[in-house]
Amino acid sequence: MEEIKAAKQRLKFYRDQLELDYQLEIRALEEAESRVLKRIESFDAKKKETADANGRSDATKDELLEINAGGNIIFARRSVLTQIEGSRLGAIFSGRWDNRLQRDNKGRIFLDVNATCFQAIVDYLNDRNISP
């Protein structure tokens, strides 16, 4: 009987120790999560600050852009050009850099590119955008 009582006490001790370790780990994870969320918040603030300084934070996806691509005028919705996240076009036309983009004498975005190739890219993105 004494052995059973001693075994129960050891089990209780180890269970309590595991519970304490678990609570400490949870606390550490919550603190790490808090630090990550603060870093994300700081990053988002810097991103907005950069957008405000170099572009337009109020740029909408439905905005129709007029682009002078190698002398040809191309119209495209911002949402079409930015649909592939992480792409160069997505970054250029996100709105964050609108004030830094080169413009022609009529205020259109100017890209020194092959007009035929750029039109083919825009056509592909349009098709991709409307395909199910």
Side-chain angles (χ1 to χ4, degrees):
M1 203 59 173
E2 268 318 297
E3 286 181 31
I4 293 175
K5 189 176 182 180
K8 282 183 178 181
Q9 286 177 340
R10 282 194 311 273
L11 284 173
K12 183 182 181 322
F13 171 78
Y14 289 125
R15 186 186 66 77
D16 291 346
Q17 189 62 44
L18 284 172
E19 182 65 28
L20 178 62
D21 291 346
Y22 173 76
Q23 292 301 324
L24 290 173
E25 191 66 29
I26 292 293
R27 193 171 312 137
L29 288 171
E30 287 171 345
E31 289 171 1
E33 178 186 32
S34 176
R35 287 191 304 272
V36 168
L37 290 173
K38 284 180 185 176
R39 289 183 70 191
I40 289 171
E41 187 177 303
S42 172
F43 176 74
D44 285 343
K46 287 179 184 176
K47 185 175 165 183
K48 184 178 179 341
E49 182 182 315
T50 300
D52 290 342
N54 298 303
R56 298 180 32 230
S57 59
D58 65 339
T60 64
K61 294 280 187 182
D62 290 331
E63 187 175 355
L64 188 63
L65 301 176
E66 201 172 342
I67 303 164
N68 178 343
N72 287 5
I73 308 306
I74 298 171
F75 293 90
R77 294 215 177 279
R78 191 179 296 273
S79 60
V80 169
L81 297 171
T82 60
Q83 66 182 284
I84 301 175
E85 290 196 29
S87 69
R88 178 115 173 150
L89 284 179
I92 291 171
F93 296 109
S94 66
R96 291 190 307 260
W97 304 105
D98 276 7
N99 294 340
R100 303 286 301 246
L101 294 175
Q102 191 174 3
R103 304 279 176 166
D104 68 8
N105 60 357
K106 295 196 176 180
R108 297 178 287 227
I109 297 169
F110 176 76
L111 300 176
D112 189 13
V113 297
N114 180 300
T116 305
C117 292
F118 189 75
Q119 182 66 61
I121 292 169
V122 172
D123 291 343
Y124 166 76
L125 292 173
N126 270 319
D127 289 344
R128 190 175 187 268
N129 194 43
I130 60 175
S131 297

